[in-house]
Amino acid sequence: MLQVGDAMSQARERLNIGILGTGTIFGAYARGLSLFPHLPVVRIADLDQDRARDAARQWRIPAWGTGEELLADDEVDVVVNITPPSAHARLTDAALRAGKHVYVEKPLAATMREALDNLATAKETGRVLGSAPDTFLGTAGQTARAAIDAGLIGRPFAGTSFVRSSKAQTWHPDPSFLFQTGGGPVLDWGPYHVAALVNLLGPVGQVAGATLTAEGEIDVTAPQRRVERIRVEVPSHATGVLRFESGALVTMMYSFDVWDTELPHLEIYGTEGTLQLPDPNTFDRPVRIRRRTDDAWSQLPPVIERTTPEPPKPFRALGVADLAAHLEGDDHRTSGEFAYHVCEVLDALQAITLDQGPVDVASRTERPAPALGARRLT
Ligand SMILES: NC(=O)c1ccc[n+]([C@@H]2O[C@H](COP(=O)([O-])OP(=O)(O)OC[C@H]3O[C@@H](n4cnc5c(N)ncnc54)[C@H](O)[C@@H]3O)[C@@H](O)[C@H]2O)c1
């Protein structure tokens, strides 16, 4: 069963969760949080009241209604904000000012100005702000981190990071937000990759690259679609180089236009070998290694137990549990500051042109602490 859930639940105080937004990703949170008994979902809200009511019935959640009702509910300790990116900052601000701790989906906010304001509001109100992605807390992210910390690939000097289309127009009922400010491959998928990379290599110092948009409009073919055609308002293909403060250079391509490719998701190259990570939008797939002296690739033993149940289903909860553990004194791995750094890198990339040359990233963040109970590799 869910060992990490157990570890994160042990001797934990109960914190009541309220969820804002009962759209596509809601089920993953409801399913994930149900495995953390100390984090019961006590109320949910959506602009679409029918959707909120149906979700409450399906997941046996005791109260549902409007966002205002949720923020006014004294029972709610932590607000999980899983509305579209354009609504993130405003609702995060309102929730913090209502005295709630907040965990917000990625990106932290649709613009850096809004993200900075949210960090300031968290400080001002003394509430904790955490943000997705939390996928690097899975066994793959933690095992790759342990391999690097143990020096298994020597000094990491480079990497590659590739995102192909998530084909959202074929499955999401209204993927418009994925092609507007706050979306695009850079801000929608980039967070999984850059968070994984910062967990492994530390903060990014500079970004260089270029972007394009291959098609100005796309057809939505999802069977449950609520829209037929959407305008692409942000770059849908970005390519570039991230220079980490450590000196490591990572080559990246984040694209909704590349329909498929067999390029690896994420690889780290060290002076003594190569690490290959699975899709960083997953938690528990194997990490592979091939060192200078190895005859072939092999799988690394996971340093923590599975973090998601089997068989795999959409799952989210680790970041909320991380915030809850932090409230009791543990490190905050998915902190707002960490997410801000990730967003600043991606925001720079989204606007970058070849003519301007490299752009400096102003913010810095520590590599997050390894997950609770993570074993060391030798
Ligand atoms: N869909 C996925 O697979 C997925 C995966 C990981 C992360 N995310 C992230 O989760 C967030 C939500 O994505 P989604 O796909 O579930 O979007 P969605 O559009 O399917 O659902 C969003 C829901 O939020 C509601 N909403 C909007 N404004 C609101 C407000 N002011 N108050 C209350 N409810 C409001 C909408 O009515 C809708 O039901 C985004 O930040 C996205 O990046 C989505």
Coordinates of all heavy atoms in Angstrom, one line a residue, residues 127-195:
R127 N 0.7 32.9 6.5 CA 0.2 31.6 6.0 C 1.2 31.0 5.1 O 2.1 31.6 4.6 CB -1.1 31.8 5.2 CG -2.2 32.5 6.0 CD -2.8 31.6 7.1 NE -2.2 31.9 8.3 CZ -2.4 31.2 9.5 NH1 -3.3 30.3 9.5 NH2 -1.8 31.5 10.6
V128 N 1.1 29.6 4.9 CA 2.1 28.9 4.1 C 1.5 28.8 2.7 O 0.3 28.4 2.5 CB 2.4 27.6 4.7 CG1 3.3 26.8 3.8 CG2 3.1 27.8 6.0
L129 N 2.4 29.1 1.7 CA 2.0 28.9 0.3 C 2.9 27.8 -0.3 O 4.1 27.9 -0.3 CB 2.2 30.2 -0.5 CG 1.9 30.2 -2.0 CD1 0.5 29.8 -2.4 CD2 2.2 31.6 -2.6
G130 N 2.2 26.8 -0.9 CA 2.9 25.7 -1.6 C 2.4 25.6 -3.0 O 1.3 26.1 -3.3
S131 N 3.1 25.0 -3.9 CA 2.7 24.9 -5.3 C 3.2 23.7 -6.0 O 4.3 23.2 -5.7 CB 3.1 26.2 -6.0 OG 2.7 26.1 -7.4
A132 N 2.4 23.2 -6.9 CA 2.8 22.1 -7.8 C 3.9 22.6 -8.7 O 4.0 23.9 -8.8 CB 1.6 21.6 -8.6
P133 N 4.7 21.8 -9.3 CA 4.5 20.3 -9.3 C 5.2 19.7 -8.1 O 6.2 20.2 -7.5 CB 5.3 19.9 -10.6 CG 6.2 21.0 -10.9 CD 5.7 22.2 -10.3
D134 N 4.6 18.5 -7.7 CA 5.1 17.7 -6.6 C 5.6 16.4 -7.1 O 6.0 15.5 -6.3 CB 4.0 17.5 -5.6 CG 2.8 16.8 -6.1 OD1 2.8 16.5 -7.3 OD2 1.8 16.5 -5.4
T135 N 5.7 16.2 -8.4 CA 6.0 14.9 -9.0 C 7.5 14.5 -8.7 O 7.8 13.3 -8.6 CB 5.8 15.0 -10.5 OG1 6.1 16.3 -11.0 CG2 4.4 14.7 -10.9
F136 N 8.3 15.5 -8.4 CA 9.7 15.1 -8.1 C 9.8 14.5 -6.7 O 10.9 14.0 -6.3 CB 10.6 16.4 -8.2 CG 10.4 17.4 -7.1 CD1 11.0 17.4 -5.9 CD2 9.4 18.4 -7.3 CE1 10.8 18.3 -4.9 CE2 9.2 19.4 -6.4 CZ 9.8 19.3 -5.1
L137 N 8.7 14.5 -5.9 CA 8.7 13.7 -4.7 C 8.4 12.3 -4.9 O 8.4 11.5 -3.9 CB 7.6 14.3 -3.7 CG 7.8 15.8 -3.3 CD1 6.6 16.3 -2.5 CD2 9.1 15.9 -2.5
G138 N 8.2 11.8 -6.1 CA 8.0 10.4 -6.4 C 9.3 9.6 -6.3 O 10.3 10.2 -6.2
T139 N 9.2 8.3 -6.5 CA 10.4 7.5 -6.4 C 11.4 7.8 -7.4 O 12.6 7.8 -7.2 CB 10.1 6.0 -6.5 OG1 9.4 5.7 -7.7 CG2 9.2 5.5 -5.3
A140 N 10.9 8.2 -8.7 CA 11.9 8.5 -9.7 C 12.7 9.7 -9.4 O 14.0 9.7 -9.4 CB 11.2 8.7 -11.0
G141 N 12.1 10.8 -9.0 CA 12.8 12.0 -8.7 C 13.7 11.8 -7.5 O 14.9 12.3 -7.5
Q142 N 13.3 11.1 -6.5 CA 14.1 10.9 -5.3 C 15.2 9.9 -5.6 O 16.3 10.1 -5.0 CB 13.2 10.4 -4.2 CG 12.1 11.4 -3.7 CD 12.7 12.7 -3.2 OE1 13.6 12.6 -2.4 NE2 12.3 13.8 -3.7
T143 N 15.0 8.9 -6.4 CA 16.1 8.0 -6.7 C 17.2 8.6 -7.5 O 18.4 8.4 -7.3 CB 15.5 6.7 -7.4 OG1 14.5 6.2 -6.5 CG2 16.5 5.7 -7.7
A144 N 16.7 9.4 -8.5 CA 17.7 10.1 -9.3 C 18.5 11.1 -8.5 O 19.8 11.2 -8.6 CB 17.0 10.9 -10.5
R145 N 17.8 11.8 -7.6 CA 18.5 12.7 -6.7 C 19.6 11.9 -5.8 O 20.7 12.4 -5.6 CB 17.5 13.4 -5.8 CG 18.0 14.2 -4.6 CD 18.8 15.4 -5.0 NE 19.2 16.1 -3.8 CZ 18.5 17.0 -3.2 NH1 17.3 17.4 -3.7 NH2 18.9 17.6 -2.1
A146 N 19.2 10.8 -5.3 CA 20.1 10.0 -4.4 C 21.3 9.5 -5.3 O 22.4 9.5 -4.8 CB 19.4 8.8 -3.8
A147 N 21.0 9.2 -6.5 CA 22.2 8.8 -7.4 C 23.2 9.9 -7.6 O 24.4 9.7 -7.5 CB 21.6 8.3 -8.7
I148 N 22.6 11.1 -7.8 CA 23.5 12.2 -8.0 C 24.3 12.5 -6.7 O 25.5 12.7 -6.7 CB 22.7 13.4 -8.6 CG1 22.4 13.2 -10.0 CG2 23.5 14.7 -8.4 CD1 21.6 14.2 -10.7
D149 N 23.5 12.5 -5.6 CA 24.2 12.9 -4.3 C 25.3 11.8 -4.0 O 26.2 12.2 -3.3 CB 23.1 12.9 -3.2 CG 22.2 14.2 -3.3 OD1 22.5 15.0 -4.2 OD2 21.3 14.3 -2.6
A150 N 25.1 10.6 -4.4 CA 26.1 9.6 -4.1 C 27.2 9.6 -5.1 O 28.1 8.8 -5.0 CB 25.4 8.2 -4.1
G151 N 27.1 10.5 -6.1 CA 28.2 10.6 -7.1 C 28.3 9.5 -8.1 O 29.3 9.2 -8.7
L152 N 27.1 8.8 -8.3 CA 27.1 7.6 -9.2 C 27.4 7.9 -10.6 O 27.9 7.1 -11.4 CB 25.8 6.8 -9.1 CG 25.4 6.2 -7.8 CD1 24.2 5.3 -8.0 CD2 26.6 5.4 -7.2
I153 N 27.1 9.2 -11.0 CA 27.5 9.5 -12.4 C 28.6 10.6 -12.4 O 28.8 11.3 -13.4 CB 26.2 10.0 -13.2 CG1 25.6 11.2 -12.6 CG2 25.2 8.9 -13.5 CD1 24.6 12.0 -13.5
G154 N 29.3 10.7 -11.3 CA 30.4 11.7 -11.3 C 29.8 13.1 -11.2 O 28.7 13.3 -10.5
R155 N 30.4 14.1 -11.8 CA 29.9 15.5 -11.7 C 28.9 15.7 -12.9 O 29.3 15.5 -14.0 CB 31.1 16.4 -11.9 CG 30.7 17.9 -11.8 CD 31.9 18.8 -11.8 NE 32.8 18.6 -13.0 CZ 32.6 19.0 -14.2 NH1 31.5 19.8 -14.5 NH2 33.4 18.7 -15.2
P156 N 27.7 16.0 -12.6 CA 26.7 16.2 -13.6 C 27.0 17.5 -14.4 O 27.1 18.6 -13.7 CB 25.4 16.4 -12.9 CG 25.6 16.2 -11.5 CD 27.1 16.2 -11.2
F157 N 27.3 17.5 -15.7 CA 27.7 18.7 -16.4 C 26.7 19.1 -17.5 O 26.8 20.2 -18.0 CB 29.1 18.5 -17.0 CG 29.1 17.4 -18.1 CD1 28.8 17.7 -19.4 CD2 29.4 16.1 -17.7 CE1 28.8 16.7 -20.4 CE2 29.4 15.1 -18.7 CZ 29.1 15.4 -20.0
A158 N 25.7 18.2 -17.7 CA 24.8 18.5 -18.8 C 23.5 17.7 -18.7 O 23.4 16.8 -17.9 CB 25.4 18.4 -20.2
G159 N 22.5 18.0 -19.5 CA 21.3 17.2 -19.5 C 20.5 17.6 -20.8 O 20.8 18.5 -21.5
T160 N 19.4 16.8 -21.0 CA 18.4 17.1 -22.0 C 17.0 17.0 -21.4 O 16.8 16.2 -20.5 CB 18.5 16.1 -23.2 OG1 18.5 14.8 -22.7 CG2 19.8 16.4 -24.0
S161 N 16.1 17.7 -21.9 CA 14.8 17.8 -21.3 C 13.8 18.1 -22.5 O 13.8 19.2 -23.1 CB 14.8 19.0 -20.3 OG 13.5 19.3 -19.8
F162 N 13.0 17.1 -22.8 CA 12.1 17.2 -24.0 C 10.7 16.9 -23.6 O 10.3 15.9 -23.0 CB 12.5 16.2 -25.0 CG 13.9 16.4 -25.6 CD1 14.9 15.4 -25.6 CD2 14.3 17.6 -26.0 CE1 16.2 15.5 -26.0 CE2 15.6 17.8 -26.5 CZ 16.5 16.8 -26.5
V163 N 9.8 17.8 -24.1 CA 8.3 17.7 -24.0 C 7.7 17.7 -25.4 O 8.0 18.6 -26.1 CB 7.7 18.9 -23.2 CG1 6.2 18.8 -23.3 CG2 8.2 18.9 -21.8
R164 N 7.0 16.6 -25.7 CA 6.2 16.7 -26.9 C 4.7 17.0 -26.6 O 4.4 17.0 -25.4 CB 6.3 15.3 -27.7 CG 5.8 14.1 -26.9 CD 4.8 13.3 -27.6 NE 4.5 12.1 -26.9 CZ 3.5 12.0 -26.0 NH1 2.8 13.1 -25.8 NH2 3.2 10.9 -25.4
S165 N 3.9 17.2 -27.6 CA 2.5 17.5 -27.3 C 1.8 16.6 -26.3 O 2.0 15.4 -26.4 CB 1.7 17.5 -28.6 OG 0.4 17.7 -28.4
S166 N 1.1 17.2 -25.4 CA 0.3 16.4 -24.5 C -1.1 16.0 -25.2 O -1.9 15.3 -24.6 CB 0.0 17.1 -23.2 OG -0.6 18.3 -23.4
K167 N -1.2 16.5 -26.4 CA -2.4 16.1 -27.2 C -3.7 16.5 -26.5 O -4.7 15.8 -26.6 CB -2.4 14.7 -27.6 CG -1.1 14.3 -28.3 CD -1.0 12.8 -28.7 CE 0.3 12.5 -29.4 NZ 0.7 11.2 -29.5
A168 N -3.7 17.6 -25.7 CA -4.8 17.9 -24.8 C -6.1 18.1 -25.6 O -7.2 17.9 -25.1 CB -4.5 19.1 -24.0
Q169 N -5.9 18.6 -26.9 CA -7.1 18.8 -27.7 C -7.9 17.5 -28.0 O -9.0 17.5 -28.4 CB -6.7 19.6 -29.0 CG -5.7 18.9 -29.9 CD -4.3 19.4 -29.5 OE1 -3.9 19.4 -28.4 NE2 -3.5 19.7 -30.5
T170 N -7.2 16.4 -27.7 CA -7.9 15.1 -28.0 C -8.6 14.5 -26.8 O -9.3 13.6 -26.9 CB -6.9 14.0 -28.5 OG1 -6.0 13.7 -27.4 CG2 -6.1 14.5 -29.7
W171 N -8.3 15.1 -25.6 CA -8.9 14.5 -24.4 C -9.5 15.5 -23.4 O -10.4 15.2 -22.6 CB -7.9 13.6 -23.6 CG -6.7 14.2 -23.2 CD1 -5.5 14.3 -24.0 CD2 -6.4 15.0 -22.0 NE1 -4.5 15.0 -23.3 CE2 -5.0 15.4 -22.1 CE3 -7.1 15.3 -20.9 CZ2 -4.4 16.2 -21.1 CZ3 -6.5 16.1 -19.9 CH2 -5.2 16.5 -20.0
H172 N -9.0 16.8 -23.4 CA -9.5 17.8 -22.4 C -10.8 18.4 -22.9 O -10.8 18.9 -24.1 CB -8.4 18.8 -22.1 CG -8.6 19.6 -20.9 ND1 -9.7 20.4 -20.7 CD2 -7.9 19.6 -19.7 CE1 -9.6 20.9 -19.4 NE2 -8.6 20.5 -18.8
P173 N -11.9 18.5 -22.1 CA -13.1 19.0 -22.6 C -13.0 20.5 -23.1 O -13.7 20.9 -24.0 CB -14.1 18.9 -21.4 CG -13.3 18.3 -20.3 CD -12.0 17.9 -20.8
D174 N -12.1 21.3 -22.4 CA -11.9 22.7 -22.8 C -10.4 23.0 -22.6 O -10.1 23.6 -21.5 CB -12.8 23.6 -22.1 CG -12.6 25.1 -22.6 OD1 -11.8 25.3 -23.5 OD2 -13.3 26.0 -22.1
P175 N -9.6 22.7 -23.5 CA -8.1 23.0 -23.3 C -7.7 24.4 -23.6 O -6.5 24.7 -23.7 CB -7.5 22.0 -24.3 CG -8.4 21.8 -25.4 CD -9.8 22.0 -24.8
S176 N -8.7 25.3 -23.8 CA -8.3 26.7 -24.2 C -7.2 27.3 -23.3 O -6.3 27.9 -23.8 CB -9.6 27.6 -24.1 OG -10.7 27.1 -24.7
F177 N -7.3 27.1 -22.0 CA -6.4 27.7 -21.1 C -5.0 27.2 -21.3 O -4.0 27.9 -20.9 CB -6.8 27.5 -19.6 CG -6.6 26.1 -19.0 CD1 -5.3 25.8 -18.4 CD2 -7.6 25.2 -19.0 CE1 -5.1 24.6 -17.9 CE2 -7.4 23.9 -18.4 CZ -6.1 23.6 -17.9
L178 N -4.8 26.0 -21.9 CA -3.5 25.5 -22.2 C -2.8 26.2 -23.3 O -1.6 26.1 -23.5 CB -3.6 24.0 -22.5 CG -4.1 23.1 -21.4 CD1 -4.4 21.7 -21.8 CD2 -3.2 23.2 -20.2
F179 N -3.6 27.0 -24.0 CA -3.0 27.8 -25.2 C -3.1 29.3 -24.9 O -2.9 30.1 -25.9 CB -3.7 27.4 -26.5 CG -3.5 25.9 -26.8 CD1 -4.3 24.9 -26.3 CD2 -2.4 25.5 -27.6 CE1 -4.1 23.6 -26.5 CE2 -2.2 24.2 -27.9 CZ -3.1 23.2 -27.3
Q180 N -3.3 29.7 -23.7 CA -3.4 31.1 -23.3 C -2.3 31.4 -22.3 O -1.7 30.5 -21.8 CB -4.8 31.4 -22.7 CG -5.9 31.2 -23.7 CD -7.3 31.2 -23.0 OE1 -7.4 31.2 -21.7 NE2 -8.3 31.2 -23.8
T181 N -2.2 32.7 -21.9 CA -1.3 33.2 -20.9 C -1.3 32.2 -19.7 O -2.4 32.0 -19.2 CB -1.6 34.6 -20.5 OG1 -1.5 35.4 -21.6 CG2 -0.5 35.1 -19.5
G182 N -0.2 31.8 -19.2 CA -0.2 30.8 -18.1 C -0.2 29.4 -18.6 O 0.1 28.5 -17.8
G183 N -0.4 29.2 -19.9 CA -0.4 27.8 -20.4 C 0.8 27.7 -21.5 O 1.8 28.3 -21.3
G184 N 0.5 26.9 -22.5 CA 1.6 26.6 -23.5 C 2.4 25.5 -22.9 O 2.4 25.2 -21.7
P185 N 3.2 24.9 -23.8 CA 4.1 23.8 -23.3 C 5.1 24.2 -22.3 O 5.4 23.5 -21.4 CB 4.8 23.3 -24.6 CG 4.8 24.5 -25.5 CD 3.5 25.2 -25.2
V186 N 5.5 25.5 -22.3 CA 6.5 26.0 -21.4 C 5.9 26.1 -20.0 O 6.5 25.6 -19.0 CB 7.0 27.4 -21.9 CG1 7.9 28.0 -20.8 CG2 7.7 27.2 -23.2
L187 N 4.7 26.7 -19.8 CA 4.2 26.9 -18.5 C 3.3 25.7 -18.0 O 3.1 25.5 -16.9 CB 3.4 28.2 -18.3 CG 4.4 29.4 -18.1 CD1 3.6 30.7 -18.1 CD2 5.2 29.3 -16.9
D188 N 2.8 24.9 -19.0 CA 2.0 23.8 -18.6 C 2.8 22.6 -18.3 O 2.6 21.9 -17.3 CB 0.9 23.5 -19.7 CG 0.0 22.4 -19.3 OD1 -0.6 22.5 -18.1 OD2 -0.2 21.4 -20.0
W189 N 3.7 22.2 -19.2 CA 4.6 21.0 -18.9 C 5.9 21.3 -18.4 O 6.5 20.5 -17.7 CB 4.7 20.2 -20.2 CG 3.6 19.2 -20.3 CD1 2.3 19.6 -20.5 CD2 3.6 17.8 -20.0 NE1 1.5 18.4 -20.5 CE2 2.3 17.3 -20.2 CE3 4.6 16.9 -19.7 CZ2 1.9 16.0 -20.0 CZ3 4.3 15.6 -19.6 CH2 2.9 15.1 -19.7
G190 N 6.4 22.5 -18.8 CA 7.8 22.9 -18.3 C 8.0 22.8 -16.8 O 9.0 22.3 -16.3
P191 N 6.9 23.1 -16.0 CA 7.2 23.0 -14.5 C 7.6 21.6 -14.1 O 8.4 21.5 -13.2 CB 5.8 23.4 -13.9 CG 5.2 24.3 -14.9 CD 5.7 23.8 -16.3
Y192 N 7.0 20.6 -14.7 CA 7.4 19.2 -14.2 C 8.9 19.0 -14.5 O 9.7 18.5 -13.7 CB 6.7 18.1 -15.0 CG 5.2 18.2 -14.8 CD1 4.3 18.5 -15.8 CD2 4.6 18.0 -13.5 CE1 2.9 18.5 -15.6 CE2 3.3 18.1 -13.3 CZ 2.4 18.3 -14.4 OH 1.1 18.4 -14.2
H193 N 9.4 19.5 -15.7 CA 10.8 19.3 -16.0 C 11.7 20.1 -15.2 O 12.7 19.6 -14.7 CB 10.9 19.5 -17.5 CG 10.5 18.4 -18.4 ND1 11.3 17.6 -19.2 CD2 9.2 17.9 -18.6 CE1 10.6 16.7 -19.8 NE2 9.4 16.8 -19.5
V194 N 11.4 21.4 -15.2 CA 12.3 22.3 -14.5 C 12.4 22.0 -13.0 O 13.4 22.1 -12.4 CB 12.0 23.8 -14.8 CG1 12.9 24.7 -14.0 CG2 12.2 24.0 -16.3
A195 N 11.2 21.7 -12.4 CA 11.2 21.3 -11.0 C 12.1 20.1 -10.8 O 12.9 20.0 -9.8 CB 9.8 21.0 -10.5

